[in-house]
Amino acid sequence: MMKKVKKIPMRQCMGCNEHKPKPELLRVVRSPEGEISLDFKGKKSGRGAYLCRDVKCLRRARKSRRIDRVLECEIPEAVWDSMESEMEADASDA
């Protein structure tokens, strides 16, 4: 009997439009309370949009306002700035 191959879910990056395995991407979440945050573990509840773990993709998505449309809300500039610094900190930790 053949061993069942586990299917890896694919998600599209909102910055570069590439499809990648879900674990490689970073999730931006709008919680039920309307709070926007980065979800490094992929476990937070709420509506999500995916980005590569690259600040360039975040900047591209910010410029196009694509995440705002996907999450159906306006993301304040301060939140964009904090997400950008969180991503840079995460990249330096890795």
Side-chain angles (χ1 to χ4, degrees), residues 30 47 66-74:
R30 177 181 50 108
R47 189 169 178 88
R66 193 154 171 209
I67 293 177
D68 301 43
R69 286 195 297 276
V70 171
L71 298 183
E72 300 166 356
C73 67
E74 180 87 18

Side-chain angles (χ1 to χ4, degrees), residues 78-94:
V79 175
W80 283 112
D81 295 338
S82 73
M83 286 196 297
E84 199 168 308
S85 52
E86 270 184 74
M87 275 180 98
E88 284 166 348
D90 183 57
S92 63
D93 291 347

Side-chain angles (χ1 to χ4, degrees), residues 40-57:
F40 289 94
K41 302 262 186 287
K43 301 283 184 224
K44 289 182 183 175
S45 70
R47 189 169 178 88
Y50 291 85
L51 282 170
C52 294
R53 292 176 180 267
D54 185 353
V55 180
K56 284 191 219 92
C57 285

